[in-house]
Amino acid sequence: MNNTKKLTAIALAAVMAVSASGCADQSWSYKTDDVSLTTGTYIYNLLNGYYEADALIESPDEVDDHLKAEVKGSDSDEVKTVEKYAYDVADETTKRMLAVESLFAEYGLTLNETEDTAARGYADQVWSTSKKTLEGYGISQDSFNYCYAEYSVKYGQVFDYTYGKDGSRYVKDDELRKYFNDNHTGYAYFSVSMAETDEDGNSVAKSADEMKKTESDLNKYADLINKDGKTYFDAVSAYIKDYSAEVDPTYSGAFKNGEAATGLDDDTSHIIEGLKEGEAKVVKTGEDATTLFYFLYRPKNTELEDYFDETSTSTDYNGKENEDGILIYDLKSGYTRYTLLDEMKGDDFKDFLKERAASLNIQKNDAALKKYSPKMFITKDSDE
C-alpha cells in the first residue's frame, strides 16, 4: 500500500512538472527590474553563437557531430564544444544587451532616429530573405529588428558616450592619435594594368616595350619623391598628365600593422609597411595579361589627415577641397574615429559591459529556454 502511494506521488509530481513547464511564460528570456528581453532575442543570440562556433571547426568535413566538436575562440585559450560555445555566447550576449539598456538609461540617451531608421531598413532587407528560416526557429520580426537594428544603434551610442568627453572612460585625442601612429601604416597607391583587349574581345598582354616603358615611367615618378623631394601629389599629377588619366587613380587610407590595406594583398601591404615614411616604390605582380604595376607610397604621419578636428579641410590629389575632416589622409579611406576607437577599446568595452551585467539583478527564464538548443540549427543538409 505504501509503495502504491509512493509511485502515485512520483507520477503526480512528474505530471505537475510537465504541466508547469508547458505553462511557463514563454514571452521573455532574460530580464532586470527595468527591461525584459524576448525569447526570440535569446534564440537569435544562440543562433549567432552556433554559427560563430561552427566556423571555428578546423576540418568540418571530417566531423561527424558538429555540436561535440571542440573549438577555441581567438580571444580565449579555453577549449569548448560547439554546443557549449554557442550557449556561452548566447548567455554573454543577452546579458550584454541588458547592460547596454541599463547604461543607455543611466546616460540619459535617446535613440538616434536617423541611425535607427537606416538600421531598420537593412534589417527589413535581411528579414525579407530570411523570414521563413528565422520564424522557424522562433525568432519574430520584432525580436530580429531589436537585435539587428535597435540594439546595434544603442550599443554604438553607449560606446560613444562611454569613451567620449562626458564618459567615465574618456579617451583623449592625443591618446587616440598616439594609438593610431603606433599601430597603423598610412598608404597611397595606384595600379596600372598591362592588359588590353584584342580584336576578338580577348584580354591579352601589352607588348614588352609598353611594359618596359610603363615600368620606367613609374620609377621616374617614384624618383620625384625619393630623390627630388617632391610630394605624392606631384608624382601622381605627372602620371595623370603623361597618361591622360581622366580621374585620380589613387586609393589611400591606413591599415593596422600586420594586416592588409584595402584592395591589396598581404605581401604588397607588407611592402608598404616596410617603406620609410615619405618613400615610394614600384612593384610588379603577375605575368603576361595579369601583370600589374603598383605605385606604392607610405606617407609621413604629418601628412595624415587630422581627422580629430571635424572643422579641418584637406585637398585631394585633384586639388579639390574637401571639408569633411573625419576621415584619414585624403578622405577616401573610410577610417572614422568610431572604428578606430572600437579597434582600440572594443575588448575593454565588452569587459566593461560584463562588469555592468554582473551588477544587475538579472533573471533568466530557464523554464522557457530549456526547450531551445543549438541542435535546432543543424539542417539535414549540414549533416550529410
Side-chain angles (χ1 to χ4, degrees):
M1 191 70 170
N2 289 337
N3 287 340
T4 301
K5 287 182 178 181
K6 184 182 293 185
L7 291 172
T8 301
I10 292 173
L12 181 59
V15 170
M16 291 178 66
V18 171
S19 176
S21 175
C23 295
D25 185 354
Q26 304 288 315
S27 65
W28 65 278
S29 57
Y30 287 56
K31 68 180 180 179
T32 62
D33 296 336
D34 303 310
V35 178
S36 177
L37 299 178
T38 65
T39 304
T41 297
Y42 173 80
I43 299 170
Y44 178 85
N45 293 334
L46 186 64
L47 175 63
N48 281 333
Y50 169 71
Y51 282 153
E52 182 180 322
D54 195 58
L56 294 172
I57 300 177
E58 292 185 1
S59 302
D61 294 338
E62 300 175 11
V63 176
D64 293 328
D65 187 345
H66 279 215
L67 291 179
K68 301 305 178 186
E70 294 187 332
V71 296
K72 182 173 67 173
S74 59
D75 58 349
S76 172
D77 292 329
E78 185 178 359
V79 176
K80 303 178 183 180
T81 64
V82 166
E83 184 175 37
K84 177 69 163 54
Y85 191 108
Y87 277 128
D88 286 350
V89 168
D91 181 68
E92 292 167 9
T93 306
T94 311
K95 288 178 179 177
R96 188 182 303 143
M97 288 176 163
L98 290 172
V100 166
E101 290 288 353
S102 173
L103 289 166
F104 191 84
E106 179 182 310
Y107 292 164
L109 300 174
T110 56
L111 196 63
N112 184 314
E113 294 185 7
T114 301
E115 292 181 3
D116 185 54
T117 298
R120 287 181 185 277
Y122 289 122
D124 288 343
Q125 294 176 31
V126 176
W127 179 259
S128 66
T129 59
S130 308
K131 177 178 184 293
K132 183 177 180 181
T133 299
L134 295 176
E135 286 186 334
Y137 295 146
I139 303 170
S140 69
Q141 185 171 8
D142 284 344
S143 294
F144 176 75
N145 282 342
Y146 172 77
C147 297
Y148 199 90
E150 182 180 331
Y151 168 70
S152 297
V153 174
K154 286 182 175 179
Y155 182 98
Q157 289 185 232
V158 170
F159 178 87
D160 270 343
Y161 189 96
T162 300
Y163 296 100
K165 62 181 180 180
D166 296 322
S168 60
R169 301 193 173 200
Y170 175 40
V171 175
K172 297 179 180 178
D173 288 350
D174 286 345
E175 296 176 68
L176 197 58
R177 186 179 285 105
K178 183 178 187 307
Y179 173 81
F180 175 78
N181 289 335
D182 290 347
N183 295 278
H184 297 80
T185 297
Y187 68 89
Y189 76 89
F190 64 89
S191 62
V192 183
S193 171
M194 289 293 99
E196 61 183 359
T197 305
D198 65 14
E199 295 178 353
D200 298 324
N202 299 314
S203 180
V204 297
K206 292 183 178 180
S207 68
D209 287 343
E210 288 179 288
M211 288 194 184
K212 186 175 181 180
K213 181 181 185 305
T214 298
E215 185 172 18
S216 176
D217 287 343
L218 292 175
N219 279 308
K220 179 180 66 177
Y221 305 141
D223 285 343
L224 289 176
I225 296 172
N226 299 333
K227 296 181 178 180
D228 300 339
K230 301 294 184 180
T231 66
Y232 178 86
F233 176 84
D234 295 325
V236 76
S237 295
Y239 167 79
I240 291 172
K241 179 181 178 181
D242 292 346
Y243 283 79
S244 301
E246 295 181 359
V247 296
D248 177 355
T250 298
Y251 292 90
S252 65
F255 61 92
K256 191 173 182 180
N257 296 341
E259 298 183 357
T262 302
L264 295 179
D265 59 23
D266 289 341
D267 290 341
T268 309
S269 298
H270 291 163
I271 290 173
I272 296 177
E273 192 174 335
L275 295 177
K276 298 176 183 177
E277 290 185 1
E279 182 182 4
K281 185 172 184 176
V282 177
V283 173
K284 178 183 177 183
T285 65
E287 58 184 19
D288 299 326
T290 66
T291 299
L292 282 175
F293 287 110
Y294 284 100
F295 186 91
L296 308 175
Y297 175 69
R298 179 175 180 177
K300 299 176 182 177
N301 282 345
T302 53
E303 291 179 310
L304 296 175
E305 174 66 20
D306 186 348
Y307 66 104
F308 299 100
D309 178 7
E310 297 185 10
T311 64
S312 67
T313 60
S314 67
T315 302
D316 68 18
Y317 298 119
N318 284 317
K320 180 181 178 182
E321 188 173 82
N322 191 320
E323 294 183 354
D324 185 351
I326 297 176
L327 305 184
I328 297 283
Y329 200 44
D330 72 338
L331 312 182
K332 296 179 183 177
S333 71
Y335 224 103
T336 65
R337 181 186 177 92
Y338 180 90
T339 56
L340 186 58
L341 255 179
D342 183 52
E343 181 185 301
M344 181 182 180
K345 293 295 185 180
D347 290 339
D348 177 76
F349 186 54
K350 288 181 180 179
D351 290 340
F352 174 57
L353 293 179
K354 188 174 183 179
E355 293 171 6
R356 179 70 175 203
S359 72
L360 301 174
N361 179 29
I362 295 178
Q363 299 176 56
K364 180 181 177 182
N365 191 354
D366 290 310
L369 298 184
K370 66 181 181 180
K371 62 185 288 188
Y372 304 107
S373 78
K375 186 176 182 179
M376 64 195 283
F377 308 128
I378 300 178
T379 64
K380 241 183 183 182
D381 291 338
S382 63
D383 287 336
E384 294 174 352

